[in-house]
Amino acid sequence: MYTRTDERGHPEHPERSEPSGGHDLRHHGDAEVRDDGSELVDLAVNVRTGTPPRWLRERIAASMDSLAAYPDGRAARTAVAARHALPRERVLLTAGAAEAFVLLARALPVRRPVVVHPQFTEPEAALRDAGHDVGRVLLREEDGFRLDPKAVPESADLVVIGNPTNPTSVLHPAARIAELARPGRLLVVDEAFMDAVPGEVEALAGRTDVPGLVVLRSLTKTWGLAGLRIGYVLAEPATIAALERAQPLWPVSTPALAAAQACMQDAALAEAEDAARRIAADRAHLLAGLAEFDEVRAVDSAEGPFVLVRVRRAQEVRERLRGLGFAVRRGDTFPGLDGDWLRLAVRDRVTTNRFLQALDQALVMVG
């Protein structure tokens, strides 16, 4: 969605539209499964099932003995820094990635922010709430939703992109994202799902050679800690200091700090890698099943723990699936997508087989 394009069809300036452009930027997958009273199989939320593991629950529970004291984040911050081979002054712990988006929007002198869509809508919502006029770069289905760095206007002083991107599940090459770096520009890369990618290939976390790079990580998805709220920011020390000054005192709770420290241990990282490999195999199984339906077209380059699909009359299909016991994520709340899109979380093969049978029934019902 742009005002003009150049001779190659690339946009010269991102659209600056009415707030949200008609999209519900505050809609999240949990809305598909809460307050319904039904027992639904959850394919709408991207948190890994069967989490948090027992050992992590025990570490969190043990931290309760320290609740009388104010939270002390030094050990967890050191552990995160060591995990990425960075000095501590390049790390900021946050109450989930959502807090980081708010801090970036409110604490930094940004004048022309641009968000690359379709992607997680919270960064744009935070920027708009902070009074910013937000530009959008819309990646196209015909290009496989892949990034063309030339599509981002030179004037942008903050660029936000997800990798792998939610909801498209596209994993952009790190080198291509790095092409977006410019003097005087902050390049914000949301890597909330990077630990679900085997080997974390294309990760920028830990890089210090990309000017203005800000990487956001979340521990809520892989470890099942959405209710605990824990994430972190990796950036240049001056950026970290500016964000930290904008935080309230003790923004991360003692249990969340204990979880962060535990998830940085070698055994935890190995467990996450094993989980990523299982997710990759389960995703391949899901994509193979979806390919059997003429009515469904998936973004088959998916590399994350979810898959984006185009389905005719998707909203009716979604409602039929609810009646059959499955919750899936609507896609029309993401800028760049319309009502023909659904996002499906990757689950184990047994669950996927049950879902594919329900999808077959839903498609027949819709006609």
Side-chain angles (χ1 to χ4, degrees):
M1 219 181 286
Y2 293 87
T3 56
R4 290 191 298 156
T5 59
D6 62 21
E7 67 275 8
R8 298 177 59 194
H10 294 136
E12 293 182 353
H13 302 286
E15 181 195 58
R16 294 186 176 270
S17 58
E18 294 298 318
S20 82
H23 294 85
D24 181 2
L25 301 180
R26 294 297 189 188
H27 183 86
H28 300 299
D30 61 319
E32 310 285 352
V33 294
R34 68 172 184 242
D35 302 331
D36 182 85
S38 304
E39 290 294 330
L40 298 172
V41 177
D42 181 7
L43 275 68
V45 177
N46 293 323
V47 174
R48 184 164 64 101
T49 57
T51 55
R54 180 176 178 178
W55 63 265
L56 183 52
R57 294 198 306 269
E58 291 173 349
R59 286 289 294 272
I60 294 169
S63 74
M64 300 296 181
D65 293 337
S66 303
L67 290 186
Y70 286 98
D72 183 348
R74 288 176 295 178
R77 191 172 185 175
T78 297
V80 171
R83 183 254 194 272
H84 294 288
L86 293 172
R88 269 182 34 163
E89 57 267 26
R90 280 183 168 266
V91 176
L92 182 68
L93 301 175
T94 59
E99 187 203 5
F101 293 130
V102 172
L103 293 174
L104 287 164
R106 298 184 180 183
L108 302 177
V110 176
R111 300 184 63 184
R112 191 174 173 84
V114 169
V115 179
V116 179
H117 285 291
Q119 80 141 22
F120 184 49
T121 54
E122 202 62 38
E124 180 172 327
L127 286 162
R128 290 186 180 278
D129 287 347
H132 294 289
D133 185 16
V134 183
R136 291 175 177 172
V137 171
L138 301 183
L139 305 184
R140 303 182 302 177
E141 179 189 6
E142 53 265 40
D143 297 329
F145 295 109
R146 296 193 176 279
L147 172 68
D148 178 359
K150 297 183 182 66
V152 177
E154 287 293 325
S155 59
D157 60 357
L158 181 145
V159 178
V160 184
I161 186 170
N163 202 35
T165 302
N166 173 19
T168 65
S169 205
V170 170
L171 183 66
H172 305 286
R176 184 166 296 175
I177 292 178
E179 289 181 36
L180 294 173
R182 301 282 189 281
R185 171 187 287 178
L186 290 172
L187 173 56
V188 180
V189 185
D190 177 8
E191 293 189 350
F193 294 99
M194 188 61 78
D195 59 357
V197 177
E200 295 196 2
V201 294
E202 312 304 344
L204 285 165
R207 294 274 296 272
T208 60
D209 60 322
V210 180
L213 177 65
V214 180
V215 175
L216 277 56
R217 286 285 181 112
S218 170
L219 299 176
T220 63
K221 311 301 191 300
T222 288
W223 297 111
L225 300 175
L228 195 60
R229 311 309 307 143
I230 179 63
Y232 54 89
V233 182
L234 307 174
E236 296 169 354
T239 300
I240 293 295
L243 299 178
E244 190 170 17
R245 285 193 296 271
Q247 279 186 310
L249 292 174
W250 310 291
V252 181
S253 69
T254 294
L257 292 171
Q261 189 173 355
C263 291
M264 297 300 111
Q265 295 178 337
D266 288 344
L269 297 177
E271 183 176 325
E273 177 67 15
D274 288 343
R277 296 188 184 281
R278 289 196 301 273
I279 288 169
D282 290 338
R283 183 181 59 244
H285 181 69
L286 172 60
L287 287 170
L290 293 170
E292 297 296 319
F293 296 97
D294 293 336
E295 306 94 329
V296 178
R297 184 167 68 252
V299 179
D300 56 10
S301 59
E303 297 283 353
F306 45 87
V307 171
L308 182 67
V309 298
R310 180 188 278 278
V311 186
R312 188 176 65 87
R313 298 169 68 181
Q315 300 309 319
E316 294 177 56
V317 172
R318 183 171 65 91
E319 290 302 319
R320 292 293 186 178
L321 285 169
R322 290 185 70 84
L324 295 168
F326 288 87
V328 300
R329 172 66 157 88
R330 56 188 285 200
D332 62 328
T333 63
F334 294 100
L337 301 181
D338 57 25
D340 289 338
W341 294 93
L342 300 172
R343 191 192 69 195
L344 314 173
V346 173
R347 300 296 186 228
D348 62 89
R349 292 192 176 206
V350 172
T351 301
T352 293
N353 289 341
R354 289 173 52 212
F355 166 72
L356 292 171
Q357 291 175 349
L359 178 61
D360 188 25
Q361 295 179 55
L363 292 170
V364 171
M365 292 176 183
V366 169

PDB file of all heavy atoms in Angstrom, residues 17 23 31 87 94 104 123 141 167-168 224 243-244 256 283 338 340 345-346 363:
ATOM      1  N   SER A  17      -1.583   6.268   6.548  1.00  0.00           N
ATOM      2  CA  SER A  17      -3.033   6.156   6.458  1.00  0.00           C
ATOM      3  C   SER A  17      -3.686   6.572   7.764  1.00  0.00           C
ATOM      4  O   SER A  17      -3.043   7.029   8.694  1.00  0.00           O
ATOM      5  CB  SER A  17      -3.401   4.706   6.150  1.00  0.00           C
ATOM      6  OG  SER A  17      -2.885   3.853   7.154  1.00  0.00           O
ATOM      7  N   HIS A  23      -7.296  -2.039  10.488  1.00  0.00           N
ATOM      8  CA  HIS A  23      -6.926  -3.323  11.071  1.00  0.00           C
ATOM      9  C   HIS A  23      -6.977  -3.254  12.600  1.00  0.00           C
ATOM     10  O   HIS A  23      -6.615  -2.230  13.183  1.00  0.00           O
ATOM     11  CB  HIS A  23      -5.524  -3.737  10.635  1.00  0.00           C
ATOM     12  CG  HIS A  23      -5.402  -4.019   9.172  1.00  0.00           C
ATOM     13  ND1 HIS A  23      -5.167  -3.034   8.253  1.00  0.00           N
ATOM     14  CD2 HIS A  23      -5.503  -5.184   8.475  1.00  0.00           C
ATOM     15  CE1 HIS A  23      -5.118  -3.571   7.038  1.00  0.00           C
ATOM     16  NE2 HIS A  23      -5.322  -4.856   7.147  1.00  0.00           N
ATOM     17  N   ALA A  31      -7.317 -14.391  21.796  1.00  0.00           N
ATOM     18  CA  ALA A  31      -8.729 -14.026  21.697  1.00  0.00           C
ATOM     19  C   ALA A  31      -9.552 -15.113  21.028  1.00  0.00           C
ATOM     20  O   ALA A  31     -10.774 -15.164  21.196  1.00  0.00           O
ATOM     21  CB  ALA A  31      -8.877 -12.711  20.930  1.00  0.00           C
ATOM     22  N   PRO A  87      28.729  -8.052  26.023  1.00  0.00           N
ATOM     23  CA  PRO A  87      28.872  -7.427  27.345  1.00  0.00           C
ATOM     24  C   PRO A  87      27.504  -7.100  27.926  1.00  0.00           C
ATOM     25  O   PRO A  87      26.529  -6.895  27.190  1.00  0.00           O
ATOM     26  CB  PRO A  87      29.680  -6.163  27.054  1.00  0.00           C
ATOM     27  CG  PRO A  87      29.420  -5.861  25.627  1.00  0.00           C
ATOM     28  CD  PRO A  87      29.222  -7.178  24.937  1.00  0.00           C
ATOM     29  N   THR A  94      13.266  -7.288  29.860  1.00  0.00           N
ATOM     30  CA  THR A  94      11.962  -6.630  29.786  1.00  0.00           C
ATOM     31  C   THR A  94      10.850  -7.599  30.164  1.00  0.00           C
ATOM     32  O   THR A  94      11.032  -8.824  30.151  1.00  0.00           O
ATOM     33  CB  THR A  94      11.688  -6.097  28.366  1.00  0.00           C
ATOM     34  OG1 THR A  94      11.725  -7.184  27.432  1.00  0.00           O
ATOM     35  CG2 THR A  94      12.728  -5.050  27.968  1.00  0.00           C
ATOM     36  N   LEU A 104      10.714   1.274  22.988  1.00  0.00           N
ATOM     37  CA  LEU A 104      11.280   1.787  21.746  1.00  0.00           C
ATOM     38  C   LEU A 104      10.449   2.945  21.206  1.00  0.00           C
ATOM     39  O   LEU A 104      10.986   3.928  20.683  1.00  0.00           O
ATOM     40  CB  LEU A 104      11.352   0.669  20.708  1.00  0.00           C
ATOM     41  CG  LEU A 104      12.431  -0.396  20.938  1.00  0.00           C
ATOM     42  CD1 LEU A 104      12.158  -1.621  20.093  1.00  0.00           C
ATOM     43  CD2 LEU A 104      13.813   0.176  20.612  1.00  0.00           C
ATOM     44  N   PRO A 123       4.238  -3.825  17.517  1.00  0.00           N
ATOM     45  CA  PRO A 123       5.153  -2.696  17.335  1.00  0.00           C
ATOM     46  C   PRO A 123       4.475  -1.462  16.756  1.00  0.00           C
ATOM     47  O   PRO A 123       4.700  -0.342  17.228  1.00  0.00           O
ATOM     48  CB  PRO A 123       6.211  -3.261  16.370  1.00  0.00           C
ATOM     49  CG  PRO A 123       6.162  -4.729  16.557  1.00  0.00           C
ATOM     50  CD  PRO A 123       4.730  -5.044  16.858  1.00  0.00           C
ATOM     51  N   GLU A 141       2.366 -11.320  -1.502  1.00  0.00           N
ATOM     52  CA  GLU A 141       2.226 -12.765  -1.631  1.00  0.00           C
ATOM     53  C   GLU A 141       2.953 -13.277  -2.870  1.00  0.00           C
ATOM     54  O   GLU A 141       3.606 -14.333  -2.831  1.00  0.00           O
ATOM     55  CB  GLU A 141       0.749 -13.142  -1.709  1.00  0.00           C
ATOM     56  CG  GLU A 141       0.512 -14.635  -1.873  1.00  0.00           C
ATOM     57  CD  GLU A 141      -0.935 -14.985  -2.157  1.00  0.00           C
ATOM     58  OE1 GLU A 141      -1.764 -14.049  -2.334  1.00  0.00           O
ATOM     59  OE2 GLU A 141      -1.239 -16.199  -2.215  1.00  0.00           O
ATOM     60  N   PRO A 167       2.869 -13.181  10.701  1.00  0.00           N
ATOM     61  CA  PRO A 167       2.334 -14.543  10.611  1.00  0.00           C
ATOM     62  C   PRO A 167       2.821 -15.344   9.402  1.00  0.00           C
ATOM     63  O   PRO A 167       2.385 -16.481   9.215  1.00  0.00           O
ATOM     64  CB  PRO A 167       0.842 -14.274  10.447  1.00  0.00           C
ATOM     65  CG  PRO A 167       0.816 -13.058   9.556  1.00  0.00           C
ATOM     66  CD  PRO A 167       1.995 -12.213   9.997  1.00  0.00           C
ATOM     67  N   THR A 168       3.678 -14.786   8.554  1.00  0.00           N
ATOM     68  CA  THR A 168       3.995 -15.464   7.290  1.00  0.00           C
ATOM     69  C   THR A 168       4.902 -16.665   7.484  1.00  0.00           C
ATOM     70  O   THR A 168       4.945 -17.537   6.630  1.00  0.00           O
ATOM     71  CB  THR A 168       4.663 -14.495   6.305  1.00  0.00           C
ATOM     72  OG1 THR A 168       5.933 -14.077   6.834  1.00  0.00           O
ATOM     73  CG2 THR A 168       3.784 -13.282   6.047  1.00  0.00           C
ATOM     74  N   GLY A 224       6.811 -21.521  27.080  1.00  0.00           N
ATOM     75  CA  GLY A 224       5.473 -21.487  27.664  1.00  0.00           C
ATOM     76  C   GLY A 224       5.363 -20.536  28.837  1.00  0.00           C
ATOM     77  O   GLY A 224       4.790 -20.881  29.869  1.00  0.00           O
ATOM     78  N   LEU A 243      16.620   3.114  26.815  1.00  0.00           N
ATOM     79  CA  LEU A 243      15.446   2.285  27.101  1.00  0.00           C
ATOM     80  C   LEU A 243      15.322   2.015  28.594  1.00  0.00           C
ATOM     81  O   LEU A 243      14.214   2.044  29.156  1.00  0.00           O
ATOM     82  CB  LEU A 243      15.535   0.968  26.334  1.00  0.00           C
ATOM     83  CG  LEU A 243      15.566   1.058  24.805  1.00  0.00           C
ATOM     84  CD1 LEU A 243      15.713  -0.336  24.203  1.00  0.00           C
ATOM     85  CD2 LEU A 243      14.323   1.746  24.268  1.00  0.00           C
ATOM     86  N   GLU A 244      16.440   1.761  29.240  1.00  0.00           N
ATOM     87  CA  GLU A 244      16.420   1.451  30.671  1.00  0.00           C
ATOM     88  C   GLU A 244      15.927   2.642  31.487  1.00  0.00           C
ATOM     89  O   GLU A 244      15.212   2.485  32.482  1.00  0.00           O
ATOM     90  CB  GLU A 244      17.807   1.027  31.131  1.00  0.00           C
ATOM     91  CG  GLU A 244      17.847   0.453  32.539  1.00  0.00           C
ATOM     92  CD  GLU A 244      19.178  -0.175  32.863  1.00  0.00           C
ATOM     93  OE1 GLU A 244      20.178   0.090  32.166  1.00  0.00           O
ATOM     94  OE2 GLU A 244      19.230  -0.958  33.842  1.00  0.00           O
ATOM     95  N   ALA A 256      10.294 -14.238  36.967  1.00  0.00           N
ATOM     96  CA  ALA A 256      10.660 -14.090  35.563  1.00  0.00           C
ATOM     97  C   ALA A 256      12.177 -14.043  35.398  1.00  0.00           C
ATOM     98  O   ALA A 256      12.728 -14.596  34.437  1.00  0.00           O
ATOM     99  CB  ALA A 256      10.023 -12.833  34.982  1.00  0.00           C
ATOM    100  N   ARG A 283       6.054 -29.386  11.155  1.00  0.00           N
ATOM    101  CA  ARG A 283       5.598 -28.398  10.170  1.00  0.00           C
ATOM    102  C   ARG A 283       5.574 -29.007   8.765  1.00  0.00           C
ATOM    103  O   ARG A 283       4.639 -28.772   7.990  1.00  0.00           O
ATOM    104  CB  ARG A 283       6.514 -27.179  10.202  1.00  0.00           C
ATOM    105  CG  ARG A 283       6.057 -26.068   9.255  1.00  0.00           C
ATOM    106  CD  ARG A 283       6.998 -24.868   9.293  1.00  0.00           C
ATOM    107  NE  ARG A 283       8.353 -25.237   8.919  1.00  0.00           N
ATOM    108  CZ  ARG A 283       9.413 -25.174   9.736  1.00  0.00           C
ATOM    109  NH1 ARG A 283       9.275 -24.743  10.972  1.00  0.00           N
ATOM    110  NH2 ARG A 283      10.609 -25.544   9.305  1.00  0.00           N
ATOM    111  N   ASP A 338      -5.924 -10.065   3.975  1.00  0.00           N
ATOM    112  CA  ASP A 338      -7.357  -9.824   4.001  1.00  0.00           C
ATOM    113  C   ASP A 338      -8.064 -11.013   4.639  1.00  0.00           C
ATOM    114  O   ASP A 338      -7.431 -11.863   5.268  1.00  0.00           O
ATOM    115  CB  ASP A 338      -7.883  -9.553   2.587  1.00  0.00           C
ATOM    116  CG  ASP A 338      -7.581 -10.687   1.604  1.00  0.00           C
ATOM    117  OD1 ASP A 338      -7.409 -11.850   2.053  1.00  0.00           O
ATOM    118  OD2 ASP A 338      -7.514 -10.419   0.390  1.00  0.00           O
ATOM    119  N   ASP A 340      -9.140 -13.703   3.598  1.00  0.00           N
ATOM    120  CA  ASP A 340      -8.927 -15.039   3.038  1.00  0.00           C
ATOM    121  C   ASP A 340      -7.774 -15.790   3.708  1.00  0.00           C
ATOM    122  O   ASP A 340      -7.426 -16.884   3.262  1.00  0.00           O
ATOM    123  CB  ASP A 340      -8.625 -14.943   1.538  1.00  0.00           C
ATOM    124  CG  ASP A 340      -9.841 -14.554   0.724  1.00  0.00           C
ATOM    125  OD1 ASP A 340     -10.973 -14.765   1.215  1.00  0.00           O
ATOM    126  OD2 ASP A 340      -9.669 -14.034  -0.390  1.00  0.00           O
ATOM    127  N   ALA A 345      -0.963 -22.768  14.061  1.00  0.00           N
ATOM    128  CA  ALA A 345       0.199 -23.161  14.850  1.00  0.00           C
ATOM    129  C   ALA A 345       0.566 -24.601  14.533  1.00  0.00           C
ATOM    130  O   ALA A 345      -0.304 -25.451  14.292  1.00  0.00           O
ATOM    131  CB  ALA A 345      -0.094 -23.011  16.344  1.00  0.00           C
ATOM    132  N   VAL A 346       1.859 -24.882  14.516  1.00  0.00           N
ATOM    133  CA  VAL A 346       2.343 -26.246  14.277  1.00  0.00           C
ATOM    134  C   VAL A 346       2.185 -27.048  15.562  1.00  0.00           C
ATOM    135  O   VAL A 346       2.620 -26.632  16.629  1.00  0.00           O
ATOM    136  CB  VAL A 346       3.815 -26.230  13.829  1.00  0.00           C
ATOM    137  CG1 VAL A 346       4.365 -27.651  13.742  1.00  0.00           C
ATOM    138  CG2 VAL A 346       3.952 -25.515  12.495  1.00  0.00           C
ATOM    139  N   LEU A 363     -14.375 -27.529   5.028  1.00  0.00           N
ATOM    140  CA  LEU A 363     -14.401 -27.104   3.632  1.00  0.00           C
ATOM    141  C   LEU A 363     -15.629 -27.632   2.915  1.00  0.00           C
ATOM    142  O   LEU A 363     -16.247 -26.944   2.089  1.00  0.00           O
ATOM    143  CB  LEU A 363     -13.123 -27.562   2.926  1.00  0.00           C
ATOM    144  CG  LEU A 363     -11.829 -26.883   3.385  1.00  0.00           C
ATOM    145  CD1 LEU A 363     -10.620 -27.589   2.783  1.00  0.00           C
ATOM    146  CD2 LEU A 363     -11.830 -25.401   2.983  1.00  0.00           C
TER     147      LEU A 363
END
